[in-house]
Every structure is written in C-alpha cells, then in structure tokens.
Amino acid sequence: MSQLRAGLRSRLPRGPGLVIVWLASALALAATARSLAVVGNLRPIMPTVAAFFLAIAVGEWLRFRITESRELAPMSLASALAFALLSGPLTSAPGPSGIPVDLVRPGEVLSVTALAMAVGAAPHLARRRALPADEIAARYLAVAAVAILFRGIPLWRSRTLLAIDAGWTGPRWPIALILATVSGLGLLLYLVLTAVVIAAREHRELRPTIADQIRTGAGLGLALGATGTLVALAARPLGVLALPLFLIPLLLTQFALRQYGAIHATYGQTVRVLARITDAAGFTRAGHAERVAALAVEIGRDLGLPELQTRNLEYAALLHDVGQVSLREPIPAGATVMAAPADQTRIAMNSAEVVRKAGVAAEVIEAVERQAVPYRVVREAGERLSVLARIVKVANAYDDFVGGSITARRREAAIERIQLGLGYEYDPRVVEALVRVLAREPRSGR
Amino acid sequence: MSQAAPTAGGEAEASTRPVADPTARRTATVVTLTGIAAAVGIWLAWHLEGPPTDLVATAVLLVMLLASWMVRVEVLAKVSVGSTSIVQLAAFVLVGPFGAAVIAAVAMFAQKSRTMQARVFNAAMIAILGTVGSFTYLWVGGARDLTTLHGAGELLWWVGGPLMIANIVQNLVNLALVAAIVWASRGENFWRHFVAMLTTSGLAQTGYGVIGFLFVILWVPAEVGPLSALLILAPLFIARWAYLQYGDEQRAHERTLSALVAAAEARDQFAVGHSQRVADLAQQIGDELGMGPSIVALRYAAMLHDIGLIASLPGRRRTSAATGSGSDPLALLTDEQAAAIIAHPSSGVDLLSDIDFLQDSLPGIRHHHERLDGRGYPDRLAGSAIPLQARVIAVADAFDALTHDRPQRPALGAEAALALLIERGGRHLDPVVVGALARVLTRHPWASEQAADPAEQGATAAPVLSMHDDPLTSDALAELRDAMEAR
C-alpha cells in the first residue's frame, strides 16, 4: 500500500497539470457529495445510468498509448459526452410522455462520470502502471463543461439547452446541431487542457502546443463529438441500446489508433537500434546518438517546434552518425566535430544514404544530409538550411566537445567553444536555446 | 456493391483483358447476363413499388454513394470498410427497391474502372443487389413507414431484423456474382473463391448491417434527417484516416528494418542480400513445416540473425583478414576472430533486446548456430533443446551460404549444397528441417550465384563476417572450442 502511495506521488504532475488535477478532483468530490442526497431519485433510470457507468469505466480501462507522451481513451470520453447530452426517454417505456430528464442534473453526470473513471483507472493502478492523472483530469473537465453548459446554464430565455431539447417538436436536426456544437466546445476544451498539461510537462511554449494539439487531435475529436451526439440523439427511439450500438463505429477507430500507437512505438525502438549500431561497432562513443537526440529534442521544444517536427528532429539526431558504419577506419572517438570539414560532409552523406533507405520523412533525410553545413551559408549565400539541421549541428557539437565528461568546467568550455563559432558555424538562436536548456537542470553525463 | 472486399476484387479484376478467346467469351456472357438480370430487376421494382417518394433522401444517398470511395478503409489485408454497404442498406428502407437499384447503379457507373466492361458489370451487379436486398427487406416484413414504430423492441423487430436478413441475402448474391466473374475472366474455381471471400469479409459485413440500421434509425425515428449522413460518416472517416496513418507508419518501419540489415551488411560485400534471402527461405521452410502464426517471428529472426556481427568485429579493433582462397576455413580464422564469431548471436540479442515486437524472435537469433550434436555456440544446446525457429534459420543460413560465393570458396550449385546439408542431418542440422527445405526446393527453383569477377570481391572490409555461416566453419569452430577447453 505504501508502495502504491509512493508510486502515485511520484507520478503526480507538477505546475499547471497539478492545478487541473486539483480542479477536477474538487469538482468530482463536490458533485458526488451533493448527488448522494438525491441518489434515490435516480432509481427509475438506474439501468440507463448503470449502462453509461459501465461504458465509461470500460473505456477508461481500455485506454492506450498513442505516442510516447500521450494516452487516449476514446470510448470513455465519447460515452461520458453522450451521458452529459442525454435527453431521450430514459426509461424504456414507449411514448414521449413522462420523460424524467430533470433527474439527471449536471451534478449527477459529474459524480457518475467521476466514479466510473476512477473504477476504470483502478486496474491500472493495481498493476502499478503509470497513471497520467493530468490527462484523466483533462478528460473529466471537458465532460464537466459539456454537462454544465447543456444541463445547468439557462442560456435562452431562462431555459437550459436540455429543456429546449426536451420540449422540441418537429425535425430534430437543429437539436443535432446544438448537441454537436456543445460537444465540439467540450472537446476543444479537452484539447486545450491536454496542451497545457503537455506544455508544462515537456517545457514547451503554450501557444504552439495548443495549435499542435488542435491540429493533431481534430480528427479524433470529430469522431468523438459525432459519437456522443449520435448516442444522445438515438437514445430517444432506441433507449439505452443506442450506447453499445453507436460505440461500434468508434471501436473501429479505436482499433486503428491502437495499432497506429503500437507501430509508432515499434518504429521508434527500431530507429534507436539503428542509431546504436555505430556504438556497437565501436565507431562512436557509447550513447552519443541518444544524448544528441535528447538534447536536440529539448532545444526543439524550447524553440517551439510542433510535435511532428520534434519527432523528425529526434530521428535525425538519432541517425546523424549512422553513416560512420561504412567507414574503413573510425575517426577518433567518433567525434565528427573534430574531423576535417570534408570528412564531416562525407559522413553526413553516408548517413543520409542509410537514412534514405530507412523510409523516414524527407525532412529527416535533409537534416542528416546537411548537418555539417555551417550556418554562414544562410547569412552569406542566402541558402535555406532547415532548423532541424541547425539544431542537430549544435547538439552534436556540444556532445562531442563535452566528450562524455560531467564536470561543470568541461561543460562551460564546450559552450564557449560553440560560442566561438556563433553566427559562423552555428545558428545563434539555436545556441541561445541550448544555453537555456542547459541552465534549466543540471544534467549528468553532459 | 456494397461490399468492399468482394467488390474490390470484382471492380479491379473483373472484365479486363481478353487474354484467351474462351475467357473473353465467358466474361462477355456473364456480363451480359448480369446486365439483363439488372434490367429485369429494375423493371420489376418500378412495376411493383414505383419511384421513391423521398427525393431528398434519394439525392443525399446518391451523393454519399458517389463519395463512398473517400471512406473506404482497409482493415485487414483484404477486408476493407466502405460506406457503400451502409448507404445501400439505408436505401432499402428509405427509398425502396427502384431507388436503391438506380442510385447504386448510377454511382457505380460513375466510378472509374479499367474498362467499360468492368463498369457495366459493376453497375449491373450493384443494381441487382439493390433490388434483391430491398425486396428481401420488404418480403420478410420490414417496415415501410418507420414513424409508426415505438420503442427499441419494435424498431429492432420490424427494421433491424429484416435489414440483417436483407444484408445477408444481398451479400451472398454479391459474392456469387463476383466469384462468377472471376471464374469467367480468370478461370478460378467458383466455390473456392466464394468461400474464401465469405470467410474474410463476413464479420465486416455484419458490422455494416448494424451501422446501416443505425443510419436509418437516426434519419427517421430520431428525426435528424439528412444531417444523419454527416454524423454517421464522421467516425468512419476518422477510422479510415487512422488506418491510412497506420499503413504509412508500418511501411516506414519495414523500410527502417531493412536499412538496419543493410547497414550491418554494408561492411562485407559477400554478405549483401544474405539476410533477406535467408528470411525468405526460412519463411518458406516454416510454411512447409506448418509453423502457423509463429512464422512472423521466424521471419524477423531470420532477417536479423547476423545483426550481432556488427558488434562482434569492432571497427577500431578490426584486423585485416586474409582474403586468399584456402579450403580450410580454420586456417583463415585467428583466435580473436573465432571469439568474435562465437559472440555474435548474443551480441545481436543484446542489440535488439529493447524492441518489444522482436521478443519472440530473440531465441532464434541467439541459437541459430547451435548444432544438434551439442557442439554449437553460444550455449551448446543439443537436439530438441534448440528452438525450432533456430533450427530452421540454421538450415536456411547454411544453404544460402553454400550457394553463394564466400571468401574461401566459390558458390556451390543448389543440388550439391542440399546433398551436403542432408549429409549433415542429425549431426549438425535437423533432418526434418532439411527435408522441408528439399520439398521447398522442388517447388521454388533456387539461384546459386557465382560472381563474374571474384577478384573484385576480395576488396571487402571484413570478409570473416561472411565466412562464419559456412557449415565447415561450424565444424572448425566446434573443434577449436573443444581444443581450447582441452588445453
């Protein structure tokens, strides 16, 4: 138990992520405390509530990793959204009369969702898997916002959207539009909150991270919003049966995304092994590629590169020396920064040759190929040199100059040597970012 | 029609080039008969049920059918998820037999196919499916007017059930027509093709049935109307997008793996292409032995079996190996090189141990130089203690080595190499696996390769890398190790 608690504590996020977690927890506790008093009222619609509870819990349990830093739980979010937007006859009795819509107030949605999410997260906790509390909290707050907006706030002539929905006669496509809009707003909030969490966790700038999240998350958000809306709309004729039926198309999406996440992780592992073969063959100092990659990624984030580009930067940095494997004789300690410019260029070309075969993005190939190009070509010849290539050059030079030493003096000397080449060899903006990154935390081995 | 998978087959291959006369005539007959059947079906639909009353629905469904290629997703190798089925099922209920047949035919005819004949066939086929499915729905009691139904029970009974039956019937007709055109144009066995398509697409088709039902429910009883089209397609569209991304990423990954192998082979010209050939051969032997799903792991293990060589002969400690053509491999190996060779299977495992999907392949990589008599390396396993994966790779590896030039000797012919392996069965190699190799070789001819100019190959960085997989080297190493331990 104490182990469990220690595990929890170490996984708790810091900064804005922690604020989001506290906010969600406070909301959940308050809602649950209030709902306990009225739990008897829910009895007539218990089967419906139980079905949504189950769907949210199972969806939360089935969450999966899509990239190194992100987890998704589409079924949980879609089910919870649908629950928040529910207005149909919640009993299976035929006819539109006697709809007990008022029974499910925002508080009830919030407490049921909170309990279900906790139940779904429990198996993961029990197996001591990392629990991204901040991401779960972001999901929860999005659902809470939708529930309050739809059921709690009198938006139009002192009537809530729910009351408008319940009293609507005639074709229901305007209702469909309202539901889609509300769930769209909720999902937008979800994306913004996850961006806040990620920006805090990975030292990124907030604005580009939000833009990034919206760009990459819009697709899934669309599917989630549509599913939540569909279930809420179809619950009128179909009752609670609408929930499992409409989750089927989403299941397909989840399956695809899971496979994508799996292959994404595998790809990353294979690239790492490819990067390691120069170490294994004794051409480079052990761990050089991985240190350069880690440093390059931090510089890239500091400069506000979007996520996809950061990933390409990581691959380019990992693979920047892979061409050394075809050298006849290794260069001293594999440090390309000490090699003659012509040799540097040749290694870059060799590496690019290998990387080209590896089917990575064109951006990666270009960065590897032009990693040795000095920054002055940009200023003097007006050539274009990708920011990825400039970052790899600086990160590589730093690691080569430090030469595996961990003393502060050696690190300062390395920065000094890089600053000697400022504007001539190295891009000043990238070097500034390097200095900021290094100042942020004392790093061992650098 | 509807069906994604079968239609894909029908669309792409049906019709097409008139290779031989009888096939062309057969194809023309099948296409003509299908066209006539479609015309009769449409006439009947008009005569019995009349034109669709809901023109808005007709127009929306037609647009959806025209755009359906946009949401087609390959789920598995041959099973794709398209919206065509879903829209067509909705059409049975919303626009009736005549409407269902005509909009489907129009949409299908508008899609590009390789030949006019294919377009006509596909349009006629989908029209038949429209009338057959639609009439089935009505005949088994499907509701014409959904507004009179109340509650989930009634909707399931009067709409869901009939739609499912209609879905099954039209699917069977679809598969039969596709199997017929494939038989006519390519001479494939009708039943075998029919059953194969049924087993691969059956589950997906059931899924379409459910989504088609939901579409209808949303449109009429939930009173959302044409807007349902957008809502129902959004999740499918995202699924398609996710699958496309998955496919891209997977292809990129395959290429990275090849690059990894290529980088490891780059230092030795004799080794170039070896890993890929061993992987292909090991897979064929695995098929022959009926290894089932574990073949995937076998293939990866075979592809990466020598990856440890890169670490075993470090660049900075590399000694210039002899490149002469002596017949005794032992004479060419220094002790240091022998030690490096003995270390390479475990070096490979160390290098790859972080890759999750290769976990099942590691035993094959580690033990591919074990011998049945227990004199192999690195662990001196004997007999059945050696994983089957490793025994298969050992045979494929030795066979490919023998049939290609090595620094110490020119390539052997396939027959001579096989004879040598058979002779080593039981002592070095698993005779059962060698037997499987012999059967594979009767079906797939093997090209043994001798370089045009062996002198040119002498200039390789580390020829010792490619010497190690010769069966004679295995004997030499075994003797060397015995001798070292005796000392």
Side-chain angles (χ1 to χ4, degrees):
Chain A
M1 196 59 207
S2 66
Q3 244 176 341
L4 187 70
R5 216 173 300 138
L8 253 182
R9 203 176 307 133
S10 70
R11 286 173 208 138
L12 265 186
R14 285 169 298 168
L18 188 61
V19 173
I20 289 174
V21 173
W22 277 116
L23 204 61
S25 313
L27 205 57
L29 283 176
T32 312
R34 269 194 58 191
S35 304
L36 278 180
V38 296
V39 75
N41 296 352
L42 288 177
R43 194 163 298 137
I45 55 161
M46 231 8 162
T48 306
V49 174
F52 277 95
F53 182 92
L54 196 68
I56 297 168
V58 169
E60 200 64 37
W61 177 54
L62 288 178
R63 68 202 167 77
F64 59 96
R65 198 161 279 287
I66 180 90
T67 64
E68 289 76 7
S69 58
R70 286 295 312 285
E71 277 202 340
L72 295 176
M75 307 251 292
S76 158
L77 192 46
S79 308
L81 280 177
F83 189 38
L85 295 173
L86 206 57
S87 72
L90 298 175
T91 54
S92 53
S97 56
I99 306 169
V101 279
D102 287 347
L103 288 183
V104 185
R105 290 171 310 175
E108 275 73 70
V109 173
L110 292 186
S111 51
V112 170
T113 306
L115 275 176
M117 283 184 161
V119 167
H124 292 280
L125 259 188
R127 282 204 238 156
R128 294 213 252 116
R129 295 216 194 102
L131 188 74
D134 41 11
E135 288 182 45
I136 298 176
R139 274 201 284 280
Y140 182 71
L141 287 178
V143 174
V146 168
I148 293 169
L149 189 63
F150 185 71
R151 319 186 89 89
I153 305 175
L155 282 176
W156 176 257
R157 298 190 182 164
S158 70
R159 290 166 77 202
T160 61
L161 290 175
L162 172 64
I164 294 171
D165 178 356
W168 189 270
T169 50
R172 290 176 57 80
W173 61 265
I175 297 298
L177 285 180
I178 291 178
L179 296 184
T181 310
V182 173
S183 56
L185 288 176
L187 287 162
L188 194 66
L189 177 68
Y190 165 69
L191 291 175
V192 170
L193 287 178
T194 47
V196 170
V197 167
I198 290 174
R201 203 192 281 162
E202 298 176 356
H203 305 288
R204 289 159 175 264
E205 271 186 53
L206 187 58
R207 286 246 313 268
T209 314
I210 290 177
D212 211 25
Q213 276 298 305
I214 290 175
R215 201 167 39 238
T216 53
L220 184 63
L222 208 64
L224 291 178
T227 304
T229 307
L230 285 169
V231 174
L233 286 169
R236 225 161 235 265
L238 279 182
V240 73
L241 199 63
L243 182 60
L245 286 179
F246 276 94
L247 286 181
I248 290 176
L250 191 64
L251 209 60
L252 204 67
T253 313
Q254 166 145 356
F255 184 61
L257 284 171
R258 268 189 107 119
Q259 280 192 308
Y260 173 78
I263 194 78
H264 180 93
T266 300
Y267 189 19
Q269 291 168 355
T270 307
V271 169
R272 280 198 161 66
V273 169
L274 183 56
R276 221 178 287 151
I277 62 171
T278 48
D279 282 5
F283 283 103
T284 43
R285 264 184 302 106
H288 169 68
E290 284 175 22
R291 283 194 307 271
V292 173
L295 189 56
V297 164
E298 284 187 60
I299 296 175
R301 282 179 185 158
D302 187 273
L303 292 171
L305 295 191
E307 199 170 318
L308 181 67
Q309 216 178 3
T310 312
R311 183 185 171 210
N312 284 339
L313 170 65
E314 184 182 10
Y315 285 179
L318 276 170
L319 299 176
H320 76 279
D321 266 347
V322 77
Q324 288 201 33
V325 92
S326 53
L327 289 183
R328 288 249 148 185
E329 289 303 326
I331 57 177
T336 41
V337 78
M338 322 286 190
D343 284 345
Q344 288 183 21
T345 309
R346 196 164 45 87
I347 291 170
M349 290 297 165
N350 285 343
S351 298
E353 203 49 52
V354 176
V355 170
R356 195 167 286 127
K357 280 189 216 136
V360 294
E363 195 177 35
V364 179
I365 301 170
E366 199 223 327
V368 171
E369 195 170 12
R370 308 204 4 115
Q371 57 174 305
V373 176
Y375 180 67
R376 66 170 183 278
V377 299
V378 177
R379 279 192 346 201
E380 292 167 11
E383 268 184 57
R384 289 190 57 224
L385 184 58
S386 79
V387 66
L388 266 51
R390 283 179 261 160
I391 296 175
V392 171
K393 186 173 176 69
V394 170
N396 176 52
Y398 177 76
D399 194 71
D400 279 349
F401 282 138
V402 171
S405 165
I406 51 162
T407 63
R409 260 188 60 197
R410 191 71 183 264
R411 294 199 285 132
E412 278 161 27
I415 292 183
E416 261 170 41
R417 287 184 72 171
I418 288 175
Q419 276 167 342
L420 282 179
L422 212 59
Y424 186 80
E425 271 304 305
Y426 308 110
D427 180 354
R429 269 183 61 231
V430 175
V431 176
E432 278 167 29
L434 169 74
V435 173
R436 277 197 298 273
V437 166
L438 292 175
R440 199 176 292 144
E441 49 189 328
R443 42 191 61 250
S444 55
R446 289 226 170 102
Chain B
M1 101 76 93
S2 358
Q3 310 3 334
T7 330
E11 266 169 44
E13 269 89 38
S15 66
T16 77
R17 358 152 211 172
V19 186
D21 235 9
T23 3
R25 213 175 319 127
R26 250 182 356 205
T27 312
T29 312
V30 171
V31 172
T32 312
L33 286 178
T34 314
I36 292 171
V40 172
I42 292 175
W43 178 79
L44 265 179
W46 172 269
H47 194 70
L48 296 175
E49 296 288 331
T53 45
D54 189 345
L55 291 178
V56 177
T58 314
V60 170
L61 293 181
L62 179 60
V63 170
M64 286 177 77
L65 281 173
L66 283 171
S68 67
W69 57 270
M70 286 176 65
V71 252
R72 179 166 285 169
V73 193
E74 293 248 325
V75 180
L76 300 165
K78 282 197 179 126
V79 184
S80 54
V81 175
S83 61
T84 326
S85 297
I86 296 158
V87 180
Q88 182 133 36
L89 282 170
F92 296 168
V93 185
L94 297 176
V95 299
F98 182 77
V102 170
I103 59 170
V106 169
M108 191 51 93
F109 194 75
Q111 280 181 20
K112 279 187 195 137
S113 285
R114 253 185 282 161
T115 64
M116 194 44 131
Q117 203 180 25
R119 276 166 83 169
V120 170
F121 175 78
N122 285 324
M125 176 172 76
I126 202 164
I128 293 176
L129 300 179
T131 45
V132 166
S134 211
F135 276 122
T136 309
Y137 171 75
L138 294 175
W139 285 335
V140 296
R144 286 163 200 267
D145 184 6
L146 273 57
T147 50
T148 58
L149 302 174
H150 293 291
E154 284 186 25
L155 286 172
L156 282 176
W157 184 256
W158 296 112
V159 183
L163 256 188
M164 288 301 142
I165 296 172
N167 187 25
I168 292 170
V169 170
Q170 62 129 359
N171 269 323
L172 293 177
V173 175
N174 181 203
L175 297 188
L177 285 171
V178 171
I181 194 74
V182 171
W183 162 78
S185 61
R186 286 188 286 164
E188 277 187 36
N189 182 301
F190 178 87
W191 281 114
R192 191 142 22 105
H193 202 79
F194 182 82
V195 172
M197 287 190 297
L198 191 62
T199 46
T200 50
S201 64
L203 192 68
Q205 286 310 320
T206 316
Y208 299 148
V210 175
I211 300 176
F213 169 66
L214 295 177
F215 188 16
V216 170
I217 294 297
L218 207 60
W219 190 303
V220 186
E223 299 172 65
V224 179
L227 190 65
S228 326
L230 282 183
L231 287 171
I232 205 96
L233 284 187
L236 288 178
F237 195 79
I238 303 309
R240 170 192 150 89
W241 168 79
Y243 273 109
L244 287 181
Q245 288 223 310
Y246 165 69
D248 286 349
E249 191 84 353
Q250 195 179 32
R251 275 186 293 279
H253 177 244
E254 287 296 322
R255 291 186 60 183
T256 308
L257 267 185
S258 318
L260 180 60
V261 173
E265 287 174 347
R267 296 172 57 211
D268 184 352
Q269 289 180 21
F270 289 102
V272 171
H274 170 70
S275 302
Q276 188 61 51
R277 291 192 305 267
V278 173
D280 292 342
L281 190 55
Q283 186 172 15
Q284 287 169 351
I285 298 175
D287 274 333
E288 186 67 37
L289 290 170
M291 282 175 70
S294 62
I295 283 195
V296 180
L298 168 68
R299 187 180 169 80
Y300 284 126
M303 189 140 162
L304 296 163
H305 71 278
D306 271 348
I307 198 88
L309 283 176
I310 193 94
S312 286
L313 283 180
R316 66 186 68 161
R317 276 183 278 120
R318 200 174 57 224
T319 49
S320 50
T323 52
S325 54
S327 58
D328 179 11
L330 186 57
L332 295 175
L333 283 178
T334 65
D335 278 6
E336 189 195 15
Q337 286 169 337
I341 286 178
I342 287 170
H344 88 268
S346 30
S347 308
V349 170
D350 289 347
L351 204 58
L352 301 174
S353 58
D354 287 350
I355 305 190
D356 293 331
F357 85 100
L358 287 179
Q359 292 307 312
D360 294 339
S361 305
L362 297 182
I365 297 172
R366 182 170 177 90
H367 298 300
H368 77 274
H369 282 301
E370 303 286 0
R371 295 164 54 107
L372 243 56
D373 58 14
R375 295 173 70 210
Y377 57 91
D379 294 332
R380 300 199 165 221
L381 297 183
S384 57
I386 309 170
L388 177 61
Q389 202 183 58
R391 282 178 269 153
V392 172
I393 296 171
V395 169
D397 188 23
F399 183 74
D400 184 75
L402 287 171
T403 52
H404 287 81
D405 286 331
R406 284 294 178 266
Q408 70 275 23
R409 52 145 181 80
L412 261 60
E415 279 167 33
L418 183 61
L420 205 141
L421 295 192
I422 291 172
E423 187 259 316
R424 301 179 77 84
R427 189 158 51 89
H428 175 186
L429 301 166
D430 184 343
V432 177
V433 179
V434 177
L437 168 69
R439 290 196 297 280
V440 166
L441 291 175
T442 57
R443 275 181 283 121
H444 307 275
W446 182 264
S448 86
E449 272 171 35
Q450 224 173 330
D453 182 9
E456 200 179 289
Q457 296 204 338
T460 196
V464 77
L465 299 185
S466 53
M467 282 170 53
H468 87 281
D469 49 14
D470 190 305
L472 293 177
T473 312
S474 166
D475 289 350
L477 282 171
E479 279 164 31
L480 190 71
R481 281 183 86 189
D482 291 346
M484 276 158 68
E485 272 167 37
R487 243 182 268 155

